[in-house]
Amino acid sequence: MKTNSFGYKFRQYLLFAGVTTFLFTAVVIVPFFYGLYLTFTKYDGVSTSKPLVGFANYISAFKDTDYWVSLGRTFIFSAIAVVLVNLFAFVLAYMVTTGIKGQNFFRTGFFIPNLIGGIVLGYVWKFVFNKALVELTENITSGNAKSLLATPTGAIAALIIVSVWQYAGYMMLIYVAGFMSVSEDVIEAAKIDGCTGTQSIIHISIPLMSASFVQCLFLTITRCFMVYDVNFSLTNGDPYGESALAAMHVFNTAFTNKDYGTGQAEALILFVICAVVGGLQVYVGKKAEVEA
């Protein structure tokens, strides 16, 4: 049997990657194209008929001011959360790669929040913001305190806090790998040349860790843009829908309002925006990595 024949290669592919390809197609590819088809139909999720309406759903999506407001809110949330997540993750990674006692324990502890489901995480922090912190503040100030979730700005701030707490530990592991990839010989040579610890990090470690920055920024951007579970369990869009992010608005349009066509159109617009932003970030990051 010729090992370079198409039939042999195809059988080998089916043996090692056939199940994975089938699952990926069934779970990702087919639903994506089915959702794309729904954007051209009028479908309420119940009836068997799906009459074609052309680009009417896209027109409705572009006219939906609440959707664009939620999208703008998502941009603000993502911009702040991405910066803070990566800042905290980088600092934590530096702390647990300096050889401190019990650094493996700290790595595990910082990573654990990422293992908690978003729904559970949201309800836990909702109790913290509405009960624990309110009681603590009232005991300290001897006055009435208001929950952070009671105001639109406070609710967005709470979402940012929870997102940073959840994602920082995961991104920390990527930065840890980046720190460990920097050669000790280079660091020692820099010290001999008179570099301080801060100068060594800024001028040597960070440029050599550009691949870690690219990965972490891409992951945090996509996660923040598509966040729904924490938004649902922590604020549910309250107060007065002022904390609803784009993914929640899309869900409400499709499943609460039973307008699957418009909801799918808005979801596709969100997907394209995420793909463009993520692609530009990766392109710029890779270009910087090559230049470094």
Side-chain angles (χ1 to χ4, degrees):
M1 181 182 295
K2 295 181 178 180
T3 58
N4 60 349
S5 64
F6 174 78
Y8 176 81
K9 292 181 178 179
F10 183 69
R11 286 191 293 271
Q12 291 295 308
Y13 175 81
L14 289 180
L15 177 63
F16 291 102
V19 175
T20 304
T21 303
F22 172 77
L23 292 175
F24 179 78
T25 302
V27 175
V28 178
I29 302 299
V30 173
F32 177 81
F33 282 102
Y34 180 67
L36 184 63
Y37 160 72
L38 288 180
T39 63
F40 299 101
T41 67
K42 189 68 176 177
Y43 181 52
D44 59 5
V46 179
S47 62
T48 56
S49 63
K50 302 182 184 68
L52 294 174
V53 294
F55 291 95
N57 291 321
Y58 290 96
I59 296 173
S60 297
F62 280 104
K63 289 182 177 179
D64 188 354
T65 56
D66 289 338
Y67 172 67
W68 294 104
V69 169
S70 68
L71 190 59
R73 193 180 297 126
T74 304
F75 269 100
I76 296 172
F77 160 78
S78 299
I80 300 173
V82 166
V83 172
L84 292 179
V85 166
N86 285 277
L87 178 61
F88 277 95
F90 183 83
V91 172
L92 292 175
Y94 176 74
M95 290 172 55
V96 299
T97 53
T98 55
I100 62 173
K101 187 176 181 180
Q103 65 180 22
N104 290 332
F105 171 78
F106 288 115
R107 290 180 188 180
T108 304
F110 293 140
F111 178 74
I112 285 176
N114 188 74
L115 302 177
I116 305 174
I119 296 293
V120 175
L121 197 66
Y123 283 123
V124 170
W125 277 93
K126 189 172 186 177
F127 169 80
V128 172
F129 288 125
N130 285 342
K131 299 293 183 181
L133 291 182
V134 171
E135 290 287 341
L136 180 63
T137 304
E138 289 179 346
N139 289 333
I140 293 175
T141 62
S142 300
N144 293 327
K146 186 164 57 174
S147 171
L148 192 64
L149 301 177
T151 62
T153 303
I156 296 297
L159 284 170
I160 293 172
I161 292 171
V162 176
S163 298
V164 172
W165 190 78
Q166 182 182 18
Y167 298 145
Y170 180 77
M171 303 306 159
M172 175 201 69
L173 295 183
I174 299 177
Y175 285 125
V176 166
F179 273 112
M180 296 177 66
S181 67
V182 179
S183 174
E184 289 291 336
D185 295 336
V186 177
I187 302 297
E188 289 297 328
K191 290 180 179 179
I192 293 173
D193 289 339
C195 277
T196 63
T198 303
Q199 290 174 332
S200 177
I201 293 173
I202 295 175
H203 298 293
I204 297 176
S205 297
I206 290 179
L208 293 177
M209 291 172 58
S210 55
S212 299
F213 282 100
V214 170
Q215 295 177 35
C216 288
L217 287 173
F218 177 76
L219 289 173
T220 48
I221 287 172
T222 52
R223 286 191 176 195
C224 288
F225 263 96
M226 305 302 291
V227 66
Y228 170 76
D229 47 5
V230 173
N231 193 190
F232 169 76
S233 57
L234 182 63
T235 70
N236 197 25
D238 293 329
Y240 315 113
E242 294 295 324
S243 67
L245 302 179
M248 172 169 280
H249 181 85
V250 169
F251 179 90
N252 291 337
T253 300
F255 295 98
T256 303
N257 301 335
K258 302 299 182 183
D259 189 353
Y260 280 68
T262 303
Q264 285 288 348
E266 293 175 348
L268 184 63
I269 293 172
L270 179 61
F271 169 78
V272 171
I273 292 173
C274 290
V276 171
V277 172
L280 287 174
Q281 179 267 316
V282 171
Y283 171 76
V284 173
K286 288 294 184 181
K287 188 176 180 180
E289 180 181 350
V290 172
E291 291 176 354

